Amino acid sequence: MEKLARKQIQALTPYLSARRIGGSGDVWLNANESPFDNHYKTDFARLNRYSDCQPQALIQAYADYAGVKPDQVLTSRGADESIELLIRTFCEPNQDAILYCPPTYGMYAISAETFGVERKQVPLSADWQLDLTAIEANLELVKLVFVCSPNNPTGNLIRREDIIALLEMTQDRAIVVMDEAYIDFCPEASTVDLLQTYPNLAILRTLSKAFALAGLRCGFTLASPAIINLLLKVIAPYPVPVPVADIALQALSPSGLARTKFQVLDLNANRAYLQVGLQMVPGVEVFEGWGNYLLVKFPDGDALFKAAWEHGIILRNSPIDNAVRISVGNREECEKVVAFVRNYYQ
Ligand SMILES: *Cc1c(COP(=O)(O)O)cnc(C)c1O
């Protein structure tokens, strides 16, 4: 059967999600999931009917949360589906390209590859910021520029003035896609206000991280109505299952938002604990992080990763030499990590 598949798919290495990697620990800090298991009412009727393509109440609730108008919001199966929709909507296969800046989130490249869209990589600078000169030199045939802030896996924010310069540089040429999957941990860093000025800006959001709903598969795209309308041409007819819309609405209700705000404060405090606790260990370098994870450099990252794995602490290795990405869990999990690392280097 393999020979029947498209050549591109035969050659493709699929995204190694945290779930696919496996492991059998009891401390799971490898997928940037929330440790909070919030409960929702699940009382469903009328499942015999198709769902709305874009449930109006859900769109309105997210628009209110994000501070935009409902016609600037699209909902999809996680932010990952939005990445795919943008590529399918704007990139001509075997002709156009996307541009992204490694080290960064892996799905931009994989989604482009599955649709036969070229991938231009302009590495982040040494301080993990945009290399604007190199980006400008590589914009030919580029329709989408993906920028992740806070960046996964490095954790840092991309400078706002550079994002503005990029939006100016790409006006009428390409769309800048700001991946704000972790922005709820530092909402003041959002670029959502720039939507007013730049029609070539699209922003990815998700309920998977701060809202503790990774298993729900619910994400959002914020963009000009023109971009949203194009994406609506491409999206599946019933992308939002009825129970998903219902639970997402509960998460975005005033009490749901208050709970998320509280949990974000809690996780940001745990991140500070993890940061300081690990930084105290000689030879360990913790990079400043703004999401619910930290990138940590160890004297021997691979060995540390394996030892933690065998100890039941599942972390995420990274493409950066000796660096391991650690999700911020509950306080007990963070304490276990700090104790393990301290003990390991003793
Ligand atoms: C987790 C993540 C996503 C995907 O979010 P889903 O809504 O779960 O699909 C997108 N971008 C980045 C940077 C992420 O870390």
Side-chain angles (χ1 to χ4, degrees), residues 111-171:
S111 286
E113 201 174 349
T114 61
F115 294 114
V117 168
E118 200 200 323
R119 297 157 313 277
K120 296 197 181 185
Q121 304 188 15
V122 176
L124 293 172
S125 62
D127 59 347
W128 293 331
Q129 293 295 326
L130 299 177
D131 183 344
L132 288 169
T133 316
I135 291 175
E136 188 157 34
N138 281 282
L139 275 183
E140 208 186 328
L141 297 176
V142 168
K143 291 288 194 63
L144 301 169
V145 179
F146 286 92
V147 177
C148 189
S149 181
N151 185 41
N152 182 0
T154 55
N156 64 294
L157 293 171
I158 302 299
R159 277 195 293 271
R160 184 180 165 90
E161 67 257 36
D162 289 355
I163 296 166
I164 292 172
L166 180 63
L167 285 160
E168 296 278 347
M169 181 198 295
T170 52
Q171 245 175 354

Side-chain angles (χ1 to χ4, degrees), residues 222-235:
L222 312 177
S224 58
I227 292 178
I228 298 296
N229 282 328
L230 286 162
L231 298 176
L232 282 171
K233 286 181 161 186
V234 177
I235 200 168

